[in-house]
Amino acid sequence: MAKFVLSEAKSGFKFNLVASNGEVIASSQVYKSAATAKKGIASVAANAAVANIENQTEKDFKPVANPKFEVYKDKKGEFRFRLKAKNGQIIATGEGYSKVDSCLKGVASVKKNAVGAKFEG
C-alpha cells in the first residue's frame, strides 16, 4: 500500500508519496511546519482522484479547470507533471520522464495511490 512520508527539509518539512514498491511517485514543496505539510498531504489525497489531466505536450491542448494534473515538457526535454489544487496552487510534482506515456503512467499512479495512502512521519 502507498504511503505519504513526511520528513524534515533544510528550511521546513516536505512529503513524498511513495508507492508500495518503495518508489517515490510525487513530492511536495517545502512547508514551514509539519502541520502545514500535513494539510498539503490532505489536499493531495483529496484532489488527486478528481483532478483532470491537462496534457500541455499535445498540439492545441485544451485547458481544464483546477484541480488538475498539468503534463508538460521541461527545459531539459523531460516530461513532468504537477498537481494543482482547486485554488491553482501546486501541491505535488513528479520526476522527469523520457517519454510522455511514462509521465502519464506516473499521473495514473498518483491518482490511484494518493487516496487511502497511509501516513508516516
Side-chain angles (χ1 to χ4, degrees):
M1 173 165 257
K3 60 186 174 184
F4 285 101
V5 179
L6 180 67
S7 61
E8 283 192 58
K10 190 173 185 177
S11 59
F13 294 85
K14 63 176 250 163
F15 64 83
N16 290 319
L17 176 57
V18 181
S20 57
N21 65 1
E23 186 174 331
V24 174
I25 53 178
S27 299
S28 74
Q29 65 183 16
V30 175
Y31 293 87
K32 291 183 180 180
S33 70
T36 54
K38 288 177 184 177
K39 287 181 182 178
I41 289 170
S43 183
V44 170
N47 285 288
V50 298
N52 289 311
I53 299 170
E54 180 180 287
N55 188 345
Q56 298 174 355
T57 68
E58 293 177 338
K59 185 177 181 185
D60 301 323
F61 74 89
K62 301 270 190 277
V64 298
N66 293 324
K68 65 182 171 183
F69 283 93
E70 290 180 340
V71 174
Y72 64 99
K73 198 170 193 179
D74 69 13
K75 292 177 184 177
K76 293 181 180 177
E78 293 183 314
F79 296 95
R80 296 184 175 272
F81 68 82
R82 54 188 163 229
L83 173 59
K84 288 189 169 183
K86 290 179 185 177
N87 65 3
Q89 183 176 1
I90 298 169
I91 53 176
T93 59
E95 65 182 351
Y97 296 88
S98 60
K99 297 180 181 176
V100 71
D101 289 343
S102 299
C103 186
L104 291 169
K105 286 178 184 174
V107 169
S109 181
V110 173
K111 288 176 79 66
K112 175 185 168 191
N113 287 293
V115 178
K118 302 280 185 196
F119 172 75
E120 186 178 290

